Amino acid sequence: MRRLFGFTLPVVGALMAAGAATAQDKPADQNPVALNGKHFLSQPLVTEIYTADPSAHVFDGKIYVYPSHDIDAGIPDDDLGSQYAMRDYRVLSMDAIGGKVTIGGVALSVEQVPWAKEFMWAPDAAYKNGTYYLYFPAKDKKGVFHIGVATSDKPVGPFKAEAKPIPGSFSIDPAVFTDADGSSYMYFGGIWGGQLQKWAKGHYDAGVGDTDLKQDDKPALSAKVAKLSPDMKTFAEKPRDVVILGQDGKPLLGGDHERRFFEASWMYKRGGTYYFTYSTGDTHFLAYATGDNPYGPFKYQGHFLLPVQGWTTHHSIVDWGGKTWLFYADNQLSGKNHLRNVKVTELHFNADSSIQTVDPFVP
């Protein structure tokens, strides 16, 4: 597996001072030097704990970020992501971008999920009729990823998990989008350690490889989308493919690693355009494709975040204060792929509604 900036550095002592954590971009002369010799575009939101995979939402006029909570489990890096052995969730909250960030208590831990055994990976959240919903992937007792749901009357939890995962769910990286008509959709899936390739035939096949289907000349594996039932706890339909088309109108191929879907779905709507955004995984870009409805198909448009320091790229996009913000993560604080820190920067659009590419570094 190709890794960016393949260095391992000591963890920053005490994760730096808590007072250094703000969401604002800082000038280079106030920035640590990155491993590539440049400076970081943005600084970590928090430094007391390691966080990644940020799903940001605005609830009741306040910003809440639902990240994964990285820990050091002493597991070496591998292609299945075994080193990402997270066990609980902590919610970040702030009154404004650039303001003080508060770290909530444990919102949900793996010990509180009856069906789950390990690997509480990237979550998301939603709100409906007075209830907050936390969606999360985890491996069951047999080592198979499914997606669970937990509820609370507070955005920071604590959340109470349902006894079983969402029926018909599989793989990782749930992202819930609610459209203007009130309908909610879940996008999910991830190849390699996310096991999406093992579900290619409609059922779990442990014998399928650990990366993808190794069919470079055939359509790439797709993320999945399913409309949620009114109770927000089940699928209202069988999940369908999120098809991404190239400029030739044909699906992107499995061998097109710089454009094809890998993981980290996020749906963002601007005007009447639906932006399906995702990570290309082993090539480390954030990419996007656009369509005119939540199901697609979506036409590939390009990259909008260049590779960060570290291996994984996972994000969210949210509007706040008349601007659009990109939440993402890198490993600035630790230099280790599995100990990451959440960041935020403004996202800009061109006149033709394309997204301007963000470079996570400055000279």
Side-chain angles (χ1 to χ4, degrees), residues 7 10 35 73 101 107 160 180 190 227 255 261 268 271 276 308 311 320 322 324 332 338 354:
F7 301 92
L35 296 178
V101 181
K160 180 176 175 57
K227 190 174 185 179
F261 170 81
Y268 172 74
F276 177 69
V308 299
W311 202 89
W320 171 263
T324 301
Q332 174 181 337
H338 65 288
S354 60

Side-chain angles (χ1 to χ4, degrees), residues 5-139:
F5 313 115
F7 301 92
T8 299
L9 299 180
V11 176
V12 176
L15 291 183
M16 302 166 56
T22 73
Q24 293 178 324
D25 301 341
K26 292 185 177 181
D29 60 359
Q30 298 179 30
N31 240 331
V33 177
L35 296 178
N36 61 3
K38 297 183 179 180
H39 296 270
F40 297 99
L41 172 65
S42 304
Q43 291 301 300
L45 284 181
V46 297
T47 57
E48 300 92 330
I49 62 174
Y50 291 114
T51 53
D53 312 321
S55 293
H57 294 272
V58 177
F59 294 137
D60 196 24
K62 194 170 183 176
I63 303 166
Y64 295 90
V65 183
Y66 299 81
S68 53
H69 176 200
D70 282 351
I71 59 172
D72 193 349
I75 301 173
D77 287 11
D78 63 27
D79 287 353
L80 299 182
S82 300
Q83 65 274 20
Y84 301 111
M86 299 87 93
R87 300 191 62 81
D88 63 25
Y89 298 110
R90 308 279 295 274
V91 182
L92 310 181
S93 60
M94 65 192 91
D95 292 322
I97 301 292
K100 178 183 177 181
V101 181
T102 299
I103 304 171
V106 174
L108 182 70
S109 67
V110 68
E111 291 83 6
Q112 298 168 325
V113 183
W115 60 269
K117 180 182 179 181
E118 58 187 354
F119 292 92
M120 303 281 275
W121 283 7
D124 194 18
Y127 171 81
K128 184 178 181 180
N129 297 333
T131 299
Y132 295 90
Y133 298 85
L134 180 69
Y135 301 94
F136 59 94
K139 284 187 177 180

Side-chain angles (χ1 to χ4, degrees), residues 140-306:
D140 65 13
K141 305 302 192 289
K142 296 181 179 180
V144 179
F145 268 117
H146 294 283
I147 296 170
V149 58
T151 56
S152 177
D153 60 359
K154 300 180 180 64
V156 297
F159 289 85
K160 180 176 175 57
E162 296 293 303
K164 296 182 179 181
I166 295 174
S169 70
F170 53 91
S171 197
I172 61 170
D173 292 356
V176 174
F177 165 75
T178 300
D179 210 346
D181 65 357
S183 298
S184 293
Y185 305 82
M186 179 183 288
Y187 300 82
F188 64 95
I191 60 175
W192 292 29
Q195 302 179 343
L196 186 61
Q197 69 276 0
K198 298 180 184 292
W199 292 88
K201 296 180 180 179
H203 62 273
Y204 184 79
D205 183 352
V208 174
D210 290 332
T211 56
D212 55 25
L213 296 179
K214 299 187 183 302
Q215 297 175 345
D216 289 355
D217 58 346
K218 294 183 178 180
L221 286 163
S222 299
K224 304 296 181 181
V225 58
K227 190 174 185 179
L228 290 173
S229 301
D231 68 0
M232 301 290 282
K233 297 180 179 180
T234 57
F235 293 152
E237 59 188 3
K238 182 179 179 180
R240 62 182 79 180
D241 288 344
V242 179
V243 177
I244 303 173
L245 305 176
Q247 298 302 316
D248 59 1
K250 298 179 180 179
L252 299 184
L253 300 180
D256 191 351
H257 287 210
E258 291 206 350
R259 298 194 300 169
R260 62 89 171 91
F261 170 81
F262 187 102
E263 63 184 2
S265 300
W266 184 266
M267 176 58 68
Y268 172 74
K269 187 179 181 182
R270 186 171 186 263
T273 301
Y274 295 80
Y275 292 76
F276 177 69
T277 66
Y278 59 95
S279 171
T280 63
D282 57 331
T283 51
H284 316 287
F285 294 104
L286 286 184
Y288 75 107
T290 56
D292 60 8
N293 69 86
Y295 293 115
F298 299 93
K299 187 174 182 180
Y300 179 84
Q301 300 295 341
H303 300 144
F304 67 96
L305 179 67
L306 300 181

